[in-house]
Amino acid sequence: MTNYAPNARYDKKGRFSMAQHVEQIQCSLCKRIINVTSQYDVPIQDPVTGFALCKNCIREVARFLDAHDEEEQQHEQEEFAGKLDKILEKNKPHYIKKYLDEYIVNQDHAKKILAVAVYNHYKRMKYGYRNEDGTEIEKSNVIMIGPSGCGKTAMLSHLSKLLGIPFAVTDASSLTEAGFVGADVEVAVRNLYYAADKDIERAEHGIIYLDEFDKIARKSGANNSITADPGHEGVQQSLLKMLEGSVVEFTSRGQRKHPEAPTIKVNTKNILFIVGGAFIGIDKIIAKRLQASRAETSIGFGAAVESKDNQPKYDELIHKVRPEDLMAFGIIPEVIGRLPIICTLETLDEDALLRILTEPKNAPVRQYEELLAMDNVALEFQEDALRAVAKKAIERKTGARSLRGIIEDVMLDVMYDIPESTEPRKVIVTKACIEEGARPEIVRIEKGPLDEQKENDAKD
């Protein structure tokens, strides 16, 4: 039933003028007759079909949808809590370390720290889903400190594969404070969302790794800067709520950020944040602190004088890092408080690099052996050649990251010429190939890798 007032008009505030007759509209859901004094009394109305919904019915529908969403979310949490028992059983700390040992050489201390941190993170989620006594276990976010090429990113990448959870790496040096040119901190969560194939539930239980975190340290170190610092301290301030656990809103890739753009919401409460960087110069800060503490206890003519040769090395110092050293480097105290676990990694010496070349499942030498085996060619690296590769990597000061590049330079011409023939051959890489740029030796053999594989398949 609708009674129309032909001269009725809305005033500037969207209400009917009191001087006009009040319009009456029947709600299509509750069937009540509504005296329309404002456009908000019947927000939804189609004059063509006569369909209308009053504000009370819209509120009820919204309340019903919210209750349904809460019930669905609760069901998903209970379902995931059931899966946590299996995840915890399969991923106990010693299992995690054993798995990482297959891919990462050395760094035993760092492996133990990460294994325990991840295990405790899942126990925290289980506790949060099944206990409602008000006690809350804080997140075990991690800060990783180690030289370039020591295995920080590789360790986390293999860890995420073991756990079967989304893992996203974001370069912290590209982030800027909101309002400045550059990527906002929400990009880190957006990268995880896409790594989870746009599944919000999976993304909310993933791992975010902020690489090059030392590049966003305060320019002035421990001192406050009086000028704007959008790419450093400003980014750290923006990360605080995200690290602690909050709902982060972001637009999908390719969309501009404006008030009317559709947003995606992800809760970071159960996302494990791991930040890492080389933190170049922090060993000097640690040495200065240790020297100052020794000076307080040994002052006078009887005090021992330490020569440069007897000064502690990087690996000895890095394991003694404390939160105050990170503050002196330029990380603000609020961020340090939200990264309670400090994980340190050592430099890789020649023996460690030699093991990395051949021992892990995805060792560089093994990769090239498989590539050449597809062309029925065997590959042999002589012992002194491998040691020469390790020495060259140390000279470049880029750790294990440069090993593949050094081998690639030596193997380029061989891999270019090998496919010309299908006959079985063997490539021998000597020390001269690495140090003097000599060409690897190629010799004919009776049976190549493909021939041996065919014989094995025939026997089976």
Side-chain angles (χ1 to χ4, degrees):
M1 175 183 175
T2 305
N3 297 328
Y4 291 100
N7 298 320
R9 294 289 185 271
Y10 286 107
D11 62 14
K12 291 181 179 179
K13 294 184 179 179
R15 296 174 301 191
F16 276 102
S17 173
M18 297 301 293
Q20 307 297 334
H21 294 290
V22 175
E23 183 180 6
Q24 292 185 326
I25 298 177
Q26 185 178 35
C27 176
S28 301
L29 190 61
C30 65
K31 305 302 181 184
R32 289 185 301 168
I33 305 298
I34 310 299
N35 293 325
V36 182
T37 59
S38 165
Q39 61 181 341
Y40 302 108
D41 290 333
V42 185
I44 298 175
Q45 180 188 6
D46 184 2
V48 178
T49 61
F51 179 82
L53 285 179
C54 66
K55 61 182 179 183
N56 292 330
C57 288
I58 291 174
R59 284 198 188 106
E60 286 299 320
V61 171
R63 195 178 296 117
F64 170 78
L65 291 174
D66 289 342
H68 174 71
D69 289 344
E70 285 180 13
E71 188 179 335
E72 207 170 50
Q73 188 177 5
Q74 183 69 24
H75 177 70
E76 287 177 356
Q77 287 181 352
E78 289 174 0
E79 192 178 341
F80 183 75
K83 295 178 182 176
L84 279 174
D85 290 328
K86 293 181 180 178
I87 293 173
L88 288 169
E89 185 64 30
K90 289 180 181 178
N91 299 301
K92 291 182 178 179
H94 58 285
Y95 290 152
I96 295 175
K97 184 183 179 299
K98 187 178 179 182
Y99 176 82
L100 292 176
D101 285 339
E102 295 178 1
Y103 297 93
I104 308 296
V105 171
N106 291 2
Q107 313 298 5
D108 290 335
H109 181 64
K111 290 173 190 172
K112 286 181 181 178
I113 291 175
L114 276 180
V116 172
V118 169
Y119 186 67
N120 285 342
H121 180 68
Y122 278 95
K123 285 200 294 185
R124 170 187 171 273
M125 281 193 276
K126 180 181 176 181
Y127 183 87
Y129 285 141
R130 296 184 176 177
N131 293 273
E132 298 179 356
D133 56 358
T135 305
E136 187 174 345
I137 301 174
E138 293 183 358
K139 282 208 293 184
S140 52
N141 295 327
V142 183
I143 180 167
M144 299 180 74
I145 304 171
S148 178
C150 66
K152 297 186 291 292
T153 308
M155 199 180 298
L156 293 173
S157 178
H158 291 299
L159 182 63
S160 67
K161 289 176 184 176
L162 169 67
L163 300 172
I165 57 176
F167 172 72
V169 181
T170 300
D171 187 354
S173 62
S174 66
L175 304 177
T176 58
E177 193 177 354
F180 290 85
V181 175
D184 294 342
V185 293
E186 289 83 5
V187 167
V189 182
R190 186 173 71 181
N191 291 343
L192 183 67
Y193 169 73
Y194 281 98
D197 296 325
K198 302 182 183 179
D199 186 337
I200 294 176
E201 176 67 22
R202 287 190 68 225
E204 288 182 341
H205 301 98
I207 296 176
I208 290 178
Y209 178 50
L210 295 174
D211 200 7
E212 306 292 347
F213 194 75
D214 52 322
K215 305 299 187 293
I216 62 170
R218 280 176 178 165
K219 291 179 181 178
S220 50
N223 303 315
N224 289 321
S225 175
I226 59 173
T227 57
D229 198 9
H232 299 80
E233 185 178 352
V235 176
Q236 294 186 52
Q237 296 283 359
S238 302
L239 285 169
L240 292 177
K241 282 292 179 185
M242 189 187 297
L243 291 171
E244 190 173 2
S246 63
V247 177
V248 176
E249 287 190 57
F250 53 89
T251 56
S252 58
R253 283 178 183 167
Q255 283 194 336
R256 284 172 47 196
K257 194 174 181 180
H258 59 86
E260 295 182 3
T263 58
I264 302 157
K265 295 181 181 180
V266 173
N267 193 337
T268 64
K269 181 182 177 182
N270 292 320
I271 294 175
L272 181 64
F273 284 87
I274 301 175
V275 305
F279 289 84
I280 297 170
I282 198 169
D283 53 325
K284 294 177 183 176
I285 295 172
I286 299 167
K288 188 176 179 182
R289 172 176 58 79
L290 294 173
Q291 191 175 2
S293 64
R294 282 196 298 269
E296 291 177 2
T297 56
S298 57
I299 298 175
F301 291 106
V305 179
E306 197 174 63
S307 66
K308 286 186 177 181
D309 295 333
N310 294 330
Q311 287 178 356
K313 306 297 182 187
Y314 176 88
D315 289 348
E316 297 174 27
L317 291 168
I318 199 66
H319 291 308
K320 297 176 182 178
V321 64
R322 290 183 181 176
E324 54 261 40
D325 300 321
L326 293 168
M327 287 172 60
F329 188 84
I331 308 300
I332 62 176
E334 296 88 344
V335 168
I336 295 171
R338 288 164 174 80
L339 299 167
I341 299 172
I342 300 176
C343 176
T344 54
L345 293 89
E346 305 96 357
T347 52
L348 296 171
D349 58 12
E350 187 178 313
D351 291 333
L353 291 171
L354 197 63
R355 290 178 60 199
I356 290 170
L357 282 167
T358 56
E359 288 185 15
K361 282 188 175 181
N362 60 340
V365 172
R366 287 191 182 185
Q367 294 178 34
Y368 282 96
E369 285 175 350
E370 294 297 330
L371 285 172
L372 291 181
M374 293 179 187
D375 292 317
N376 205 24
V377 175
L379 175 64
E380 179 189 332
F381 270 85
Q382 293 183 348
E383 179 71 22
D384 54 356
L386 291 173
R387 198 162 287 279
V389 172
K391 287 179 180 177
K392 207 166 188 178
I394 292 172
E395 289 173 8
R396 293 187 179 183
K397 296 182 180 179
T398 51
R401 191 174 282 118
S402 61
L403 292 175
R404 186 179 172 91
I406 295 169
I407 297 175
E408 184 74 25
D409 290 341
V410 174
M411 298 294 296
L412 179 62
D413 291 335
V414 172
M415 291 190 294
Y416 180 80
D417 295 333
I418 282 292
E420 286 184 349
S421 173
T422 57
E423 62 181 356
R425 285 155 294 169
K426 184 177 185 179
V427 175
I428 301 171
V429 180
T430 62
K431 182 180 179 181
C433 300
I434 308 298
E435 294 182 347
E436 302 168 14
R439 186 180 176 86
E441 186 182 351
I442 302 175
V443 295
R444 288 189 177 90
I445 54 177
E446 291 184 6
K447 294 179 182 179
L450 287 179
D451 301 324
E452 291 178 1
Q453 186 177 353
K454 287 177 182 176
E455 286 182 4
N456 293 331
D457 292 341
K459 289 178 182 178
D460 294 338

